[in-house]
Amino acid sequence: MQILSFPEEATPSELRVQVLEIQHQAWPSDGDGPSRSALTHDPELRPLSMLLVDGGSVLAALDILSKEIVHAGQRYAAGGVSTVVTRREARGFGHGRRLAAAARKTMIARNLDLGLFTCDRPLQAFYESAGWHLLPGTVLIGGTPQAPFPSDQPGFDKVTMADFFSAASRHAQASFQHTRIELYPGENDKLW
């Protein structure tokens, strides 16, 4: 087993097709399934696909999205995990956890100041087991400034997970708790 990383648009087609199939398995759409060439994320977010591959078969996948944010008057290079998914028959073996932990290390290697993202509340312990930490009371504001998409909107049961990599972000860590953070990843990704 190995972890392979590619910019989303440069992922080899035989692997990309498998990722799209696994995503469709987890989140069925109304159509006939995923388009073989479909990109999941806005290219402005520099999506990096991370795949856990065994003998040419994708067992699990996730994407790291990145952008600069402004919080409490400071600029930070931020990343987040998105579309974390494991092939149905490969679940329960720690593959997703392995990728979520590897994503954290990849963000550090890419010199990001911090990683932050939302997840469904029942997944909090899963992400904590991969090295991420709960940001208590924190809400991410997704979408755009004109069409905000907050993680605390009615019907959502989300928590915000994070880790602080740079000295500047660690120094400001308390300011990221019990607050609303303007992420604004756009209309396509809304939240990561």
Side-chain angles (χ1 to χ4, degrees):
M1 255 182 266
Q2 59 183 329
I3 296 175
L4 304 176
S5 297
F6 307 94
E8 183 185 38
E9 73 279 359
T11 303
S13 61
E14 65 277 4
L15 298 176
R16 184 73 190 142
V17 166
Q18 291 183 60
V19 170
L20 293 170
E21 288 169 353
I22 297 168
Q23 289 174 348
H24 185 70
Q25 202 180 60
W27 307 292
S29 64
D30 294 336
D32 294 333
S35 164
R36 291 185 174 277
S37 62
L39 294 179
T40 304
H41 303 289
D42 184 335
E44 292 289 316
L45 299 175
R46 302 181 304 280
L48 179 72
S49 294
M50 296 184 69
L51 318 176
L52 182 63
V53 179
D54 187 20
S57 178
V58 177
L59 300 178
L62 63 74
D63 296 309
I64 295 175
L65 306 179
S66 306
K67 73 171 295 215
E68 185 176 274
I69 64 168
V70 176
H71 176 67
Q74 298 296 315
R75 294 188 178 281
Y76 299 97
V81 296
S82 181
T83 58
V84 180
V85 66
T86 300
R87 185 178 295 280
R88 187 176 295 131
E89 57 273 16
R91 292 181 186 157
F93 296 100
H95 302 317
R97 181 176 296 105
R98 182 174 171 188
L99 271 183
R104 208 179 134 274
K105 291 177 182 173
T106 297
M107 288 183 203
I108 293 168
R110 295 180 87 187
N111 295 316
L112 297 180
D113 293 306
L114 72 154
L116 75 162
F117 57 94
T118 60
C119 69
D120 294 336
R121 188 173 306 279
L123 294 174
Q124 177 184 335
F126 164 79
Y127 285 107
E128 287 174 332
S129 73
W132 295 96
H133 307 281
L134 176 69
L135 271 180
T138 299
V139 173
L140 294 186
I141 310 297
T144 66
Q146 299 76 25
F149 191 82
S151 63
D152 66 345
Q153 62 186 287
F156 271 29
D157 189 21
K158 302 280 186 190
V159 293
T160 301
M161 306 301 293
D163 202 359
F164 299 87
F165 310 132
S166 70
S169 70
R170 285 191 298 274
H171 180 72
Q173 185 172 344
S175 76
F176 284 88
Q177 297 179 14
H178 302 286
T179 191
R180 298 175 81 78
I181 299 172
E182 296 174 342
L183 183 62
Y184 297 136
E187 284 295 325
N188 184 36
D189 289 282
K190 295 207 188 242
L191 280 174
W192 65 38

